[in-house]
Each structure stands twice: as C-alpha cells, then as structure tokens.
Amino acid sequence: MPEGDALHRAARRLQVLVGQELEVETPHPRAAVKQLAPRLNGRRLESVEAIGKNLLLRFDGGLVLRSHLRMRGRWRVLERDAAVFGTPWLVLRGARHTGVLWNGPVLELDRGVARRLGPDILAAPPDYDAMRQRFRATPQARAIGDAILDQRLVSGIGNVWKVESLWAQRISPWRALADVSDDELRAALASAHELMRARLDGVPGTRHVYRRKGHMCPRCGTPIKSWPQGDEARMAYWCPQCQKGEDPPAA
Ligand SMILES: [Zn+2]
C-alpha cells in the first residue's frame, strides 16, 4: 500500500509540470465520468503537494484536484511523447513531460480537503503543536495506536510507521491518550517523522516489530504480540515488556 513517503516522491517528480498549462485527458471510463478534463484542460498547474496520503494538485482558478492512491494507484512522469500503457485515470501533458496516474480510485476536485486533514507528518518541520491540539481535542479514551492513524489528527502515518514509532518510544499502542503525556506524544510523532523522512531520502530501514509476531523484541527478547486495532482493524504489533500498558482484552 502506498504510504506517505511514496506520495512525497510522486509530488517531487511531478514538480516538472508546475507552472505550465497542461493538456488534460482522463482515458479511464471511471475517471471520464467525473468530467475533470473539460474543467482542467488548458489550466496552469500552480503546485503539487503531498499532504499525508493525498496528492493535491492546484490549478489556476482555485481548482484543487485530490488524488488518493489507495492500494494500487501509482503516478509516473514520462517524456512528453513517450507511449502511455494501459488505461490511465489521468494524463497531464506539459511542454516536455507527461504525468500519468494509473488506478486512481480517488480523484476529485475539492476545495476543502486541505482544511480537513491534520498537519503533515512529513512537513519540514512538522507542526507538532497543531497535532497536539488535534490529539487533545479527540476523546481521550481513544488508544494512541488508533488515534495516530486518524488522518484528521495527523496525516501521513501508515500502519508500519505507527507500529515502529511507538516501539521506538516504548509506548504501548493500547494506552489511552489520557495516559500519554504531551512529551510522549511528541516523541512518538517525531519518531514517525524521522523514520519516514529517512525512507523518503532512500535510507533503508529495519522493521523491529512490524509483522514480527512471535519473534523476539530486538531490545529485550520478549516475543512480539499482535492484535487488530481500531475501526479498520489494522494489525498492531508491540512488545509487552518494553511497551508497558494494559493489553486488549483478548490478546
Ligand atoms: Zn521489548
């Protein structure tokens, strides 16, 4: 699944189209019905920005196109006249390059999305104070491992980075926000930022607990546990020894 860092790489590549008036096509029928091409064709692309797991393309006239890649979407930047394979959702053709989106199940014109999303974990630097305010405004009985995936509180943290950053800071994903201090919250968010930033810069990383149920914790040797967490039942992994706290009832 594309995580926030994949989106930021796509945003970087698409910068070659910024400032140009683009020829816009939507070859895929499910994209064509959205009537995007008639509204965007010939407009100038003003910016491309990754916010969390969303790519926002701002066009002149105040139009913002939001692309979310879900499981299979991907962006590529090709030479302008390169052959485009398959049936892409979106083709953005500039003077020398063409940006192509395949499998983009979420593609919509949207003015409010940037306001609804929490601060971007990959911003340089991230706005930790704004994140803290959002975390403290949500019900404090929520587990931190659930809240940290909530894109309205902080955008861009996926399951891998949630699990690894909470392990790095010795915070159980099952602890209620009420029992997590501001300093601990900030440390967990900063860990996620550093881990994801390193990945964005191409530094290979090691997964210490993600998908390592039953393996020894690299820090203390205790077997790693796993249990689904949150409304979407994403699998949490944690070390019951160095991430102390009450485990979920059946784990
Ligand atoms: Zn441990």
Side-chain angles (χ1 to χ4, degrees):
M1 176 162 177
E3 297 266 357
D5 54 327
L7 263 292
H8 278 255
R9 281 196 294 271
R12 279 185 188 174
R13 289 196 297 267
L14 287 164
Q15 296 303 318
V16 295
L17 296 173
V18 170
Q20 300 183 27
E21 290 174 4
L22 301 179
E23 298 163 30
V24 179
E25 294 168 27
T26 50
H28 195 287
R30 283 176 59 204
V33 297
K34 296 170 186 276
Q35 293 292 311
L36 298 173
R39 295 171 71 183
L40 296 175
N41 192 44
R43 285 188 187 270
R44 205 171 72 90
L45 180 64
E46 292 184 334
S47 69
V48 179
E49 182 185 9
I51 297 188
K53 297 177 182 178
N54 296 277
L55 204 61
L56 301 186
L57 298 95
R58 294 175 204 275
F59 290 84
D60 64 46
L63 293 173
V64 180
L65 183 67
R66 178 172 79 100
S67 156
H68 188 299
L69 299 180
R70 292 279 165 83
M71 301 301 277
R72 293 171 53 232
R74 65 196 169 96
W75 280 95
R76 290 284 181 276
V77 174
L78 311 170
E79 295 298 312
R80 178 188 156 92
D81 295 319
V84 173
F85 294 99
T87 310
W89 278 58
L90 187 65
V91 178
L92 303 174
R93 196 165 275 122
R96 294 177 54 200
H97 297 91
T98 298
V100 187
L101 168 68
W102 286 275
N103 296 318
V106 178
L107 186 63
E108 61 189 21
L109 284 170
D110 189 329
R111 293 166 194 269
V113 61
R115 280 198 307 277
R116 290 196 301 275
L117 287 169
D120 184 0
I121 194 62
L122 277 169
D127 190 345
Y128 293 118
D129 284 339
M131 292 176 198
R132 175 179 48 75
Q133 286 170 17
R134 290 183 180 226
F135 273 83
R136 292 311 181 195
T138 199
Q140 296 299 290
R142 289 181 77 179
I144 184 170
D146 173 39
I148 207 167
L149 291 179
D150 185 339
Q151 303 295 304
R152 295 166 301 182
L153 307 184
V154 53
S155 59
I157 301 181
N159 202 36
V160 177
W161 308 111
K162 154 196 158 171
V163 163
E164 294 293 334
S165 59
L166 291 177
W167 179 83
Q169 295 301 327
R170 302 173 187 248
I171 299 169
S172 165
W174 303 100
R175 274 168 62 188
L177 286 175
D179 298 328
V180 176
S181 71
D182 284 353
D183 286 349
E184 288 176 310
L185 175 62
R186 182 177 173 127
L189 294 168
S191 271
H193 171 78
E194 282 158 24
L195 291 168
M196 293 175 68
R197 197 77 223 176
R199 179 73 177 277
L200 183 62
D201 294 335
V203 179
T206 304
R207 289 173 184 177
H208 297 100
V209 285
Y210 181 75
R211 289 197 172 159
R212 293 186 52 80
K213 180 187 181 181
H215 292 265
M216 290 193 308
C217 168
R219 204 158 42 203
C220 74
T222 304
I224 300 298
K225 285 189 172 185
S226 71
W227 196 254
Q229 184 169 39
D231 290 343
E232 293 179 41
R234 308 286 302 277
M235 194 61 77
Y237 299 86
W238 73 102
C239 168
Q241 177 61 33
C242 49
Q243 292 169 272
K244 286 225 193 299
E246 203 167 316
D247 286 352

